[in-house]
Amino acid sequence: QVQLVESGGGLVQAGGSLRLSCTTSGRTQGSYAMGWFRQAPGKEREFVAAISRSGGWISYDDSVKGRFTIARANAKNTVFLQMNSLKPEDTAVYYCAARVSGVAVTSTAYDYWGQGTQVTVSS
């Protein structure tokens, strides 16, 4: 059984930074493509960023491109999401997800999910 645990969320002022981490247990994280998604109240879950198993292929949603960076440390079974220049519209619960097959940008393509971590950006 694969388990994903996110951490690093919190309250930050607009323009600030946070770094989210997602640690995988049960199987080496290098076996999975990883993604970050977010869901704001009353909205659907949306794609944020994704990274291939090797880290050689990365994709970002246009709304975070240039501000967020996804990276992975397979030796530590951890994937990171560095979030800079945060905006109030980035406020959401952030989820990491793992996919056995190749990287994808749609939430329905992912096999495993974490419980989420709240990110709140004040104006």
Side-chain angles (χ1 to χ4, degrees):
Q1 182 70 21
V2 177
Q3 292 184 329
L4 287 71
V5 179
E6 302 98 334
S7 61
L11 173 64
V12 64
Q13 289 187 332
S17 299
L18 285 174
R19 188 173 84 152
L20 306 183
S21 300
C22 174
T23 301
T24 304
S25 62
R27 188 173 174 180
T28 57
Q29 194 179 78
S31 302
Y32 303 101
M34 301 296 295
W36 284 98
F37 292 79
R38 65 187 181 186
Q39 188 167 16
K43 296 187 177 181
E44 294 186 353
R45 191 168 298 186
E46 63 179 14
F47 170 73
V48 176
I51 187 168
S52 63
R53 294 172 195 165
S54 67
W57 192 94
I58 290 174
S59 179
Y60 298 99
D61 183 77
D62 286 345
S63 64
V64 306
K65 202 172 292 184
R67 301 188 298 122
F68 289 13
T69 302
I70 189 171
R72 66 189 301 161
N74 287 342
K76 298 181 179 181
N77 286 337
T78 303
V79 63
F80 305 97
L81 185 68
Q82 177 67 43
M83 305 186 296
N84 298 329
S85 302
L86 283 161
K87 304 175 181 179
E89 51 263 44
D90 294 318
T91 295
V93 177
Y94 283 71
Y95 299 89
C96 74
R99 187 168 192 256
V100 175
S101 301
V103 66
V105 300
T106 55
S107 61
T108 54
Y110 283 78
D111 303 298
Y112 305 100
W113 291 85
Q115 82 290 348
T117 186
Q118 177 71 46
V119 171
T120 303
V121 184
S122 63
S123 57

